[in-house]
Amino acid sequence: MTRILFFLFCLFVFWKCASPEADLHQETWYPSLPGTFDSLPPMPEDNQLTRARVALGRLLFHEPLLSGDGTISCASCHKENLAFADNRRVSSGVHGRLDKRNAPSLINVAYQERLFMEGGVPSLEIQVLAPFGNENEMDFTLTAAAKLLGQEEEYRNLAQEAYDSEVNGFVISRALSAFQRSLISSGSPYDRYLLGDRAAISAAAKRGSKLFYNEDIACGSCHSGFLFTDQEFYNVGLYLEYEDEGRGRLTQNRGDLGKIKNSSLRNVALTAPYMHDGSLATLDEVLRHFNEGGKGHPNQDGRIRPLNLDEVQLSDLKSFLESLTDTIYLK
């Protein structure tokens, strides 16, 4: 009964955004183009968004039956009030097993061209499979999960509504992907500032934005565009020796050792701890790392060098980063 009520609530939320004549289940649904964004995210032809698919995906996202011991869901590691990130250094999976990487935010993940920190996965539909096969995450199979969910009438009905199908791995992976594509965030104070509200951010944040885009400091050369990332891979000198090979694990190229996908800075104030392994606990630690110029790894990007910013300038940069927080998902 709880799941049914939750599903009905999801449908009500999405219905409120629809036109009065909209078909609640089969209408193809696109988020509105945010005022500061250049484009809408790409949508695959075989998994166009409908309100029923997004609602089913949201329900599955919170479903612990997708895990091998029935204790965790996607939402356990991607917490909505933390911009769908995790506040633990590394997340805890089934049986309390710890993974090796920090769970990233899923906000605006629909725009991501290559998924995971080494960039080896080309689509959300494929990405969804990985946590099931990871013994430190779900440690389960889609087939087994579908068998469990297929025993419940509400899931059988929802699968028919969304995909005209029985509950199976295809439905689970597609619905979870559809939900994640709906997570668009563009309502930060800085967005309002760019749209003309000059009082939307503080004087400190305005000074910080100038520093951020200063060519000598060069933060904006990698954290560029409306997503605040160029989606490339960089070694930022976090270590002299990397336990996690990053991009190098995929390419087997020593020049890629320690290169990690450049994260979006949207909602960054909500997503502590930071870096691929959660090793920097606060934004202050992150700013100090870059101000000091990294550890000097051979693959370290040349733009990572001592900046010699003073405490006021670092505080201004932090204020700017905090202005990128959208409260739409906060509860």
Side-chain angles (χ1 to χ4, degrees), residues 6 31 42 57 72 84 87 101 105 133 135 138 142 150-151 184 204 206 209 215 222 227 273 286-287 289 301 316:
F6 185 71
I72 66 167
F84 290 90
N87 55 358
R101 289 176 172 175
S105 170
E135 65 179 8
M138 298 302 198
L142 275 175
Q151 296 172 13
I184 305 298
K206 292 174 185 176
S209 70
E215 290 185 3
C222 299
L227 295 179
V286 174
L287 289 169
H289 168 78
D301 189 272
D316 288 346

Side-chain angles (χ1 to χ4, degrees), residues 294-306:
K295 299 291 176 57
H297 188 276
N299 291 342
Q300 181 173 311
D301 189 272
R303 287 165 290 190
I304 310 298
R305 53 182 175 71

